[in-house]
Structures are given as C-alpha cells and as structure tokens.
Amino acid sequence: MIREVKIRGFKSIPKLDIELGVVNCFIGANGVGKSNVLEAVGVLGAAAHGTVDDESLLRRGVRPGLPRLFKSSFQDFRSLPHIGLEAIAQTGAIYRASLLNPLESPEPAWSFKTETLTDGTATIVTDGVRSRGNLNPKAGLAAVSMVTLPPDSPATRLLLQLQQFSIYCPNTPTLRGLVPDPQTREPVGLAGGRLAEAVADLRKWSDEVQSDVLDDLLGLVDWAVDVTASRSVQALLSPSVSRSQEVLKFKDRFMASNRNELTAFDASEGVLYVLFTAALCLSARGPGLFAIDNLDQALNPRLVTALTSRLAGWLGNASTPRQLMFTAHNPAVLDGLDLDNDEVRLFAVDRDSNGHTVVRRLVMTPELKAMNSDFPLSRLWMMGHLGAVPNV
Amino acid sequence: MSEPLRIALIAEGATEREVIEAALKVSLAPRSFVLTQLQPEATKPELGNGWGGVLKWCHQLAARCQPIGSTVEADATLSFFDGVVLQLDADVATFTYSDLGPTTAAEAVTRGWLPLPCQINCPPVPTSADALFSVLLSWLSPATPGVKTVVCIPAMNTGAWQAAAKLPAGHALLVDLECRTDIEDRLQHLPLALRINKRDRKSRMAAAAAVTQRWPTVTTLCSRAHAFDQAIRAAFP
C-alpha cells in the first residue's frame, strides 16, 4: 500500500505531498492539474520499471511530453533542473528518483540523476548524481535490483505496485469492442479493450467464491438481468460490425424472452463503464495501483453515486491489496464517498495565486456531518464551498 | 513552500474578483492563496449578480445560523476556508431595495434590514463607521463578521482602484477618486493606453496586473484600499 507520494517540479506542480488511502478522489476545475498528479505517479512507475521514455509513458497512460513541458515553468518560480518523485509505502519502503533531460535538444529517454530504494530498514539502492562512466544513466538501478530481492520484500512490493500503475481512460467504442485498444492490459486495456474477457473472468471468480458481486453490479443497471461473454453472437450483431473475439452479451428484462439478448454494441454505455471499473477493482489480475481519469463519464448521477459507494468494498475484497486514484467532475460522485472511512479520501485540486497546482484533503467536520441532509457534499461542491471550482 | 490560504469571496461580480485578487497578491505576499468566488455563482442564477446577489447570499448565511448566530467564518459550510472576503460597492448606499423588486422591498421590512438608501460619506469614513457597513451587518444578522472575515467596501466601485493603478499622477480623474460613481464609465472612454473596458477580459486583466504592480500607489490614493490592505494583514498575519 502506497501511503505517500511526493512530487517536485513536474508540470504545474512545483511541490506536492499527498497522503493516499485506498480510494482517492480528485476533484477540481478543468485545467487545475488533476491529471498531472496522476501522470506524476505514472512517470515514477516508469522509473521504477527502469526506463522513462515516450514508450514507457504511453504504456502507463501518461501523455509524453518534452522536458520544457514536463518540468515546471512559472513566472515566479526558479525551475528545478530535474523532476523529483517519491513514493512511500505503508511498510516504510521508499522509492525515490530524480530525472534529468535537457530543455534544449532533449534525449529520447530521461536520465536518472539520483535513485533510492529502501525496504523501510535497509537501503537497497542509493545512487547519487551518476558520475560513473560504466553505468547507463538512462537505466534505473532499482528495477535491476529486483532480481536479487525476495518477492515478499517491502521494496519489491512497492516497486511492483508502481510498475503496475497506469492511467485508464475508457472510451465507448473500445468498451463496445469496435476498435482495438492501443494499450492492452490485464484485465482490461487502458481504453477499455477486452472488457468481455474481463467480465468472463469476473463471472468465473464470482461463481468460484460464491460472491453476489455480479448480481449487485447488474442491480445498478435497471434493464439488464444477466451479462455473459460469448463468441457466438452472429444472430445478434450485424456482419458489418467489426468486433473482438469475445463479445459481451446482455439479457434485457423488458424484452420478450425469445429475443431479449443484445451485445455491448447495442447496450447502454453506462453499464459498460460500470463493468470496466468493477473489473479493474475486483479482478485477480488487476493492478495494485491504478488511476481512472473521469470515472464518472457517461454515468447518470444516481448510478455514479452507487458506483462510487461500492469502490472501497470492491478494492477491499480484491485478492491482493489495491488502490485507486480517480478524477471526477460530477458532484454526485461525492455523495457516494464514505468519508467516515479513513481509507476513502477526497482531494480538492486548485491553482493558487501563482498558478501552482495545490491539493488539499477534505476532511468532514462533525458540524458538517450534522448538516449532511441539507448540505450533502455534492451541494457544497456546487456552491463552491469545497473549493475545486472555476471562478465562472 | 507553505500551504496556500483558502479564501472565500462574496462579491458583486467578476470584475470585483479580479481587482480584489490583484490586491491580495500584494497584501498576502509572500504567501500564496486560492480565491474561490462563492457569489456570484453561475449555477445559482436565482441569487443574481451585483449587490442583490451579495444581499441574498448574506441572507442565506443568516438563515443557516439562526437563531443564536455566529461569526461568518464559523458557518460549518465554510469550514474548508481560512477566511472570507465580503465585497460591496459604496454606491449601493444610493440604491433602494425596490430596485431589486417588490418582493425584496417587502422582505427588507419583515426581516429588519436597515434602510436603503443610506448616508454616504465622501471622502469615505472608516468602514466600521460607514452606514452601508451597518446595512450589510443587518443582512448578515444574527451572523457577524469575525476576525477572519474582511468586509471590503472599496469606493463607489472597484474602478477607483483600477484608475489609481493605471492613470498617471495628476490625472483629472484622480481628484475625488473615491467619490466618483461614474469612474468605470469614464475609464472606458479614455485614450487607448489608459482605457479600461469592463467588457474586455484582456483590458480587465491588464488593469488587475496594474493594481498588483502599483498597489502602494493605489493604497495612497484610495483610503479604502489602504483599509482593506490593513484588514487583510490583520486577518491573516
């Protein structure tokens, strides 16, 4: 479990320390830097994997950028020559890297200026400014050191969690299986590819452990009584529709029983986004740390509240510990967050008077809790009382 | 780098926010801040812009802290802010509640809001002795401004601060600057280099930048700017 992330000199973030829970919701006006926070973790994940270049960033859903955009640039702020990133695990394990790339004539890959990996008690890798000519400055030492570490070492677990991190940004054509996902992953791709396979796995797991999670999921979608993944859908899908091997098949509760099946191509997009999030949270092959940019897209306010309220339970029930960071713009998301649970955290992201991205965890006061029926978080956000709004 | 101050702003409009934000950049320096405008607010058109919007916001706050009252900043819904700035132009003293419609005029009577129009002092008297300040307090009652709430009655309007920042020393409009109700209109008709067009965002931003850059001049020429500067420094030492 990663407890703290430190970011220095990355894009709109000159300096930021965030303490993470299991469910981490970031809200703020468009352009305040919510995605930059996620991308900073993506860059650290690439560093933990040993290489920070365009390819490794794209794999993690990070928009590749030139050093002049990646390094902070402000009128009042003396830019750091490097980007500094650090993650601290609950075990005390730490991974820290500072990355260099010149503003003029940048290299395809970033160089490691310094790199540190500890397991909470002992230092495993510590490399100051790399001056030794026999080391490749563009290759991370921590990733190499993993081969000598026990798999259950806190340092290994921290590196693995960082390496697995990706920013997911699903889109409807990919979720429907109509277009291939440029970044495929287990259990689903960054854009939502192979959702049918992920749902098949989810069904299998649900049957094995006798979980009612799939029933609960379908309960969120009023019209559907069942969902399966199938290869034989010729009768349901026009031959002109391109499709992946497996296709999601839904059973509609209102349609006549002899023709009540439809595929992901015809299903409402909302159910696909819900299944996508559930697969990432619940699948045994899901990443230990992941982000979803705009978790609320395409979802009805009530549905997104219901979905958000399930996240902590899903992540807690996963076979391996996992954490989610997500951004949202729909106020209804907030009403699904159980902020009494310390592992569910809400962060307001703003730009300060210097234009710097600043993040603050919002903790409910007893007085505010007492007023929740009249002033739920969704209303407070709309009123501007949580911050995280544009001045329009 | 310390945490930025979070300040809620209740103001008559976007122009006022830009001018106040420009002033805060100097008054709060070197600290940074996040200024969130709670009023006017696009999704609450029923509150409206201008002084009527400020009045209705104050009334909503007053309703939340009935019957015993509290300080403005003690309102639980404002707990994520470090302080509050309430702005009202001095020219509101020349208006009447019926300008906002018959309902508001009737409400003013039933709720015991102090009457408008009210006495207007030119040159301005200290804010606490201003009749309009008393009117504002009646809108907030039973809430009261606490130590973290700064009431800003800039002049007839914030155009005075823009003028003080943009116009060269000795300019005719700088005479009795804080008493000019038509300053915004006059600024729109100046030669291009000095002109401030309220409807042009670039023009407003340039004027706001000038307020930041020439804040000492603004506080010298405008007693209310000086008072605001002092109040902010006292509220957020």
Side-chain angles (χ1 to χ4, degrees), chain A residues 350-364:
Chain A
D350 287 286
R351 293 268 196 149
D352 72 6
S353 47
N354 297 315
H356 302 172
T357 293
V358 290
V359 179
R360 184 166 67 159
R361 183 182 173 193
L362 299 178
V363 179
M364 295 285 278

Side-chain angles (χ1 to χ4, degrees), chain B residues 114-169:
Chain B
L114 291 182
L116 279 178
C118 64
Q119 186 187 344
I120 193 160
N121 299 94
C122 240
V125 294
T127 305
S128 57
D130 193 316
L132 185 62
F133 179 67
S134 301
V135 172
L136 180 69
L137 293 183
S138 74
W139 299 347
L140 287 168
S141 179
T144 52
V147 292
K148 297 291 181 187
T149 300
V150 174
V151 174
C152 171
I153 302 179
M156 287 304 171
N157 54 59
T158 46
W161 294 9
Q162 293 174 316
K166 283 271 288 193
L167 302 182

Side-chain angles (χ1 to χ4, degrees), chain A residues 99-349:
Chain A
L99 303 165
L100 283 172
N101 205 347
L103 295 177
E104 306 299 333
S105 307
E107 301 276 347
W110 290 66
S111 298
F112 286 79
K113 182 183 178 188
T114 62
E115 196 180 16
T116 302
L117 176 68
T118 77
D119 63 6
T121 49
T123 301
I124 295 156
V125 169
T126 178
D127 192 42
V129 175
R130 210 174 271 188
S131 55
R132 284 168 289 170
N134 60 339
L135 289 179
N136 175 3
K138 295 183 176 67
L141 286 174
V144 177
S145 75
M146 272 183 81
V147 294
T148 63
L149 292 174
D152 60 346
S153 153
T156 307
R157 293 204 303 267
L158 171 60
L159 282 181
L160 271 175
Q161 213 180 353
L162 286 170
Q163 289 174 354
Q164 290 171 354
F165 178 84
S166 290
I167 304 166
Y168 292 78
C169 192
N171 66 63
T172 305
T174 312
L175 288 168
R176 292 197 194 285
L178 301 177
V179 295
D181 194 324
Q183 293 296 336
T184 54
R185 288 287 182 289
E186 293 287 356
V188 283
L190 300 194
R194 293 172 54 84
L195 180 61
E197 287 82 350
V199 170
D201 279 353
L202 203 56
R203 264 192 88 95
K204 195 173 157 203
W205 168 81
S206 179
D207 291 343
E208 279 171 9
V209 301
Q210 296 185 320
S211 163
D212 60 358
V213 72
L214 217 55
D215 274 348
D216 179 47
L217 260 175
L218 288 171
L220 297 176
V221 187
D222 196 36
W223 57 269
V225 282
D226 197 14
V227 57
T228 53
S230 173
R231 292 185 180 215
S232 53
V233 289
Q234 288 89 339
L236 302 175
L237 205 53
S238 162
S240 62
V241 175
S242 63
R243 64 180 184 89
S244 52
Q245 274 193 331
E246 299 248 2
V247 173
L248 277 180
K249 203 160 70 172
F250 295 91
K251 207 170 268 183
D252 187 300
R253 75 184 175 98
F254 298 111
M255 295 168 75
S257 60
N258 59 343
R259 50 189 179 93
N260 65 348
E261 290 186 324
L262 65 160
T263 68
F265 181 68
D266 292 299
S268 85
E269 58 191 354
V271 67
L272 304 179
Y273 285 89
V274 169
L275 288 170
F276 168 84
T277 303
L280 272 174
C281 292
L282 289 161
S283 169
R285 290 182 286 171
L289 173 66
F290 63 102
I292 301 178
D293 214 0
N294 298 316
L295 176 119
D296 51 339
Q297 63 176 312
L299 299 179
N300 175 280
R302 278 198 184 188
L303 178 56
V304 84
T305 300
L307 172 66
T308 313
S309 69
R310 282 159 172 79
L311 294 175
W314 287 348
L315 292 164
N317 284 335
S319 50
T320 52
R322 75 187 48 162
Q323 288 172 277
L324 165 64
M325 303 167 76
F326 71 93
T327 65
H329 286 284
N330 187 334
V333 165
L334 273 51
D335 296 335
L337 295 174
D338 174 15
L339 296 186
D340 284 336
N341 178 353
D342 188 45
E343 293 296 354
V344 178
R345 301 188 181 187
L346 173 62
F347 298 93
V349 187

